[in-house]
Amino acid sequence: MKNIHFLARWAAIVGMAIALVIALMVGASIAGRAIWKTPIQGDIELTQFGIALAISLALPWCQLQRANIIVDFFTQESSPQRQRFLDSCGAIMIAVMYALLAWRTSVGAASVKEATETTMILGLPMYWVYLSLAPGLVLAAIIALWQAFAPQKLVAV
Amino acid sequence: MSPTMIGLVMFAGMLALMAVRVPIAAAMFIPGAFGYAALSNSTALINLLKGSAVARLTVYDLSVIPLFLLMGQFATQGGLSRALFKAASAFVGHVRGGLAMASILSAGAFGAVCGSSVATSATITQVAYPEMKEQGYSGRLSTAALAAGGTLGILIPPSVPLVVYAILTEQNIAKLFAAAMIPGILAMLGYVVVTWLVCKFNPQLAPATTPANWPARVKALLGVWPILLIFCIVFGGIYGGIFSPTEGAAVGAMCTLVAGLMKRELGIEALKTSFLATAETTAMVFLIFLGADMMNAALALTQMPAALANWVTHLQISPLLIVSAVLAFYVLLGCVMDELSMLLLTIPVIFPAVMGLDLYGMTTEMKAIWFGILVLMTVGIGLIAPPVGLNVYVVNNLAKDVPMGETYRGVFPYLAWDALRVVLLLVFPGIALWLVTILFK
């Protein structure tokens, strides 16, 4: 369990560090454009893909922290056991969502690879983008399942 | 089953799941997926899902969200909020209720570098609440002012909900930000006036203190130049046509990082904390997006949004009344739902209907911008109104000695100003649109 916590935490930190690197890259590109009239080639593509990767890496941490929004208005009066049971059901559903997206995105990667799709400006293979999103989704699915079946053991530190 | 029937079942399923604590993203995604499969077939569903994560996460205009959140976190961890509160309280702190006013003003100023109301509330509470408590301010006034002040985080640009609205309705983010500026400042000044009035009628809520001297004021004011500079760079750049909002957010995050480093408040640990907090909110926002995408794809197949729009435009009721009814509906919805889920769920359905109305003879774009600001303000009401005001929760969680009921009681006068402001904007769209027409001639 400790390992999963460690993984989720570092995935989030690395993800946001990537976002920061993207921000620096954008800054450099603007400076290049303003001063030497030469922006960084494909800066928009890099932003899109870098930020997408960053978001996917943030998903496990958010799940681990149970930070996904729920409506607790109608169940405030329910007993703690009942709330825990409902939360486990909720965790299974969100695990299904992550898993479906992870599976289909990976299949998507295979089909764009077959079609040898590349990005417009930099010509990067498009399946990289698809594949890069899978690890975050998979890890988030595992965490959600864990929360569903062993809720006591998985206390966020 | 007819498509409309499937649509209704889907909607009912979603509401039922939400009511039993299923995370909102999954509560939209799962019925949406079933509905989509029922309306077309399962092959179409799994084909759609192949690209849906990539399609949503790589939207360039949405990249502003993590970047603006990162900027807000750097500002939080970098101690910029403390400098703001110090400066504001040096000027107005001695007035009765002045520290409450100072927390509103600093929340407003902090909102100019932070796009989330929760982050704004939490940050300002941490620096302002202990100070107010020490000076003998009542818990009711101090927590209420902080909760209300926090809503300025989304009203004053940058604003995450406004970015979401812009994406959903395909509007220009920069124009929406411009439109939110004057209403945001009005909100802030109004909150200050409300605080003053409350303290005038109920002086025991807050003691008067001695004014700070001028050298202290000047010194405190010097502490806020980084925020001012960052705001000018980001929005000057966006409105000066130098860069796009996404680039502005990147530059803002960079500058805030530098400001925090220069103040020597952003060490490795603080950096990690800001990364983790940003990750949490970013993932939360995008997960709701993914859920709503599924639901909206299925809803589009039912043709219900188009049918609703058609029905509404043929109603023999004054268009303004319809808009008012929509806003009233948002207030109700805000009682149980958070602002982002509300927007993602309702805007694709309601927006086309509102755009079909003739409102003051405005162009579609102006109507879209005006309606966006109206919705944003209304959503802000839900943040502090009972029974579940998110900001009230956040502030109360940090000010544990104040009972929740006290905060809600204190929030009431601020809510009255919120409601009045929505009505004002409803009657005078120019409050929002004037700056847009000036900046984008």
Side-chain angles (χ1 to χ4, degrees):
Chain A
M1 194 49 246
K2 262 208 172 124
N3 296 335
I4 286 194
H5 186 271
F6 179 86
L7 263 179
R9 191 177 135 92
W10 278 98
I13 293 177
V14 169
M16 293 304 115
I18 292 173
L20 183 59
V21 170
I22 295 287
L24 297 175
M25 185 277 298
V26 170
S29 181
I30 294 170
R33 194 168 68 198
I35 304 169
W36 301 284
K37 307 252 179 294
T38 46
I40 292 175
Q41 269 285 306
D43 54 345
I44 292 186
E45 276 180 6
L46 288 173
T47 308
Q48 286 175 296
F49 305 147
I51 295 290
L53 173 60
I55 298 165
S56 74
L57 290 176
L59 291 170
W61 178 250
C62 177
Q63 186 59 43
L64 191 73
Q65 298 292 311
R66 297 176 187 274
N68 288 314
I69 295 179
I70 62 164
V71 174
D72 63 358
F73 179 68
F74 302 101
T75 46
Q76 277 165 344
E77 308 291 310
S78 309
S79 67
Q81 291 93 321
R82 197 188 183 91
Q83 288 190 5
R84 260 204 302 277
F85 171 73
L86 291 174
D87 286 340
S88 292
C89 298
I92 293 176
M93 290 202 197
I94 205 147
V96 169
M97 177 177 170
Y98 289 129
L100 251 177
L101 287 172
W103 169 48
R104 294 318 298 170
T105 303
S106 311
V107 174
S111 38
V112 294
K113 186 173 184 213
E114 222 163 274
T116 58
E117 239 179 81
T118 54
T119 66
M120 291 234 255
I121 294 169
L122 294 174
L124 301 169
M126 199 56 201
Y127 79 91
W128 287 7
V129 180
Y130 279 74
L131 266 190
S132 71
L133 302 186
L137 287 164
V138 170
L139 187 57
I142 294 172
I143 291 174
L145 275 184
W146 209 301
Q147 285 170 332
F149 293 109
Q152 300 84 349
K153 282 191 201 150
L154 204 114
V155 181
V157 202
Chain B
M1 259 200 297
S2 72
T4 312
M5 200 59 209
I6 296 176
L8 290 174
V9 170
M10 215 163 64
F11 226 73
M14 174 194 77
L15 293 177
L17 288 178
M18 280 182 188
V20 294
R21 302 171 71 89
V22 172
I24 285 185
M28 293 194 271
F29 186 87
I30 289 174
F34 275 113
Y36 194 91
L39 289 159
S40 48
N41 53 59
S42 51
T43 323
L45 172 69
I46 60 170
N47 274 330
L48 174 81
L49 286 174
K50 267 204 271 194
S52 55
V54 172
R56 178 47 74 201
L57 302 193
T58 58
V59 173
Y60 180 68
D61 280 343
L62 279 178
S63 309
V64 297
I65 291 181
L67 294 172
F68 270 138
L69 288 171
L70 202 56
M71 167 167 156
Q73 277 302 320
F74 287 156
T76 303
Q77 300 293 330
L80 294 180
S81 47
R82 197 170 314 119
L84 281 175
F85 180 66
K86 252 191 207 154
S89 52
F91 282 88
V92 297
H94 61 283
V95 187
R96 201 172 278 282
L99 290 180
M101 296 174 195
S103 26
I104 287 163
L105 292 171
S106 42
F110 194 75
V113 292
C114 178
S116 127
S117 65
V118 170
T120 306
S121 293
T123 311
I124 303 295
T125 303
Q126 276 159 13
V127 294
Y129 181 69
E131 179 79 16
M132 283 195 269
K133 197 176 166 189
E134 198 184 295
Q135 295 287 337
Y137 275 57
S138 82
R140 185 195 295 187
L141 176 69
S142 48
T143 53
L146 287 163
T151 63
L152 298 171
I154 58 166
L155 206 50
I156 292 179
S159 158
V160 171
L162 213 48
V163 172
V164 171
Y165 178 86
I167 302 285
L168 288 174
T169 59
E170 295 170 352
Q171 295 300 316
N172 181 321
I173 294 176
K175 286 186 184 173
L176 276 161
F177 279 174
M181 194 66 91
I182 291 177
I185 293 171
L186 264 181
M188 177 172 77
L189 296 179
Y191 285 156
V192 170
V193 174
V194 168
T195 312
W196 181 75
L197 282 174
V198 166
C199 294
K200 193 155 176 70
F201 286 109
N202 207 347
Q204 74 268 28
L205 287 177
T209 48
T210 47
N213 56 20
W214 276 99
R217 285 181 178 175
V218 172
K219 192 166 165 258
L221 208 54
L222 286 179
V224 299
W225 69 265
I227 288 226
L228 203 67
L229 185 65
I230 293 165
F231 183 77
C232 290
I233 292 175
V234 172
F235 289 95
I238 293 175
Y239 294 113
I242 303 171
F243 40 67
S244 68
T246 303
E247 290 172 333
V251 171
M254 228 166 63
C255 295
T256 324
L257 175 69
V258 171
L261 291 175
M262 270 169 36
K263 285 188 98 166
R264 298 184 183 283
E265 297 220 24
L266 268 180
I268 287 292
E269 278 314 303
L271 214 54
K272 274 192 206 161
T273 314
S274 20
F275 281 167
L276 289 174
T278 309
E280 199 175 304
T281 319
T282 301
M284 183 198 92
V285 171
F286 279 88
L287 200 64
I288 297 178
F289 243 118
L290 289 169
D293 280 347
M294 189 69 253
M295 185 48 105
N296 289 327
L299 275 180
L301 288 185
T302 65
Q303 312 267 332
M304 279 162 77
L308 179 75
N310 191 34
W311 178 70
V312 169
T313 34
H314 288 93
L315 278 180
Q316 298 297 323
I317 306 176
S318 134
L320 264 188
L321 206 62
I322 297 176
V323 175
S324 313
V326 168
L327 296 177
F329 167 70
Y330 274 116
V331 172
L332 285 181
L333 207 57
C335 290
V336 291
M337 258 178 135
D338 72 286
E339 75 262 29
L340 286 177
S341 323
M342 251 162 78
L343 288 179
L344 284 162
L345 196 64
T346 60
I347 290 297
V349 183
I350 288 178
F351 183 76
V354 173
M355 287 307 104
L357 299 172
D358 176 30
L359 293 151
Y360 303 113
M362 281 189 273
T363 62
T364 310
E365 188 186 29
M366 286 298 154
K367 245 188 313 197
I369 294 173
W370 172 66
F371 183 64
I373 305 301
L374 274 174
V375 170
L376 187 71
M377 276 191 183
T378 315
V379 157
I381 293 181
L383 286 171
I384 54 172
V388 274
L390 194 55
N391 275 13
V392 172
Y393 273 83
V394 171
V395 172
N396 223 277
N397 202 21
L398 293 165
K400 286 210 167 60
D401 50 322
V402 183
M404 193 83 88
E406 276 293 290
T407 308
Y408 277 129
R409 216 161 295 149
V411 146
F412 196 73
Y414 296 102
L415 273 177
W417 167 237
D418 279 348
L420 181 63
R421 227 171 49 232
V422 172
V423 174
L424 278 176
L425 182 59
L426 206 53
V427 182
F428 305 108
I431 300 173
L433 300 179
W434 178 75
L435 194 59
V436 183
T437 49
I438 296 281
L439 285 173
F440 297 87
K441 261 193 207 129

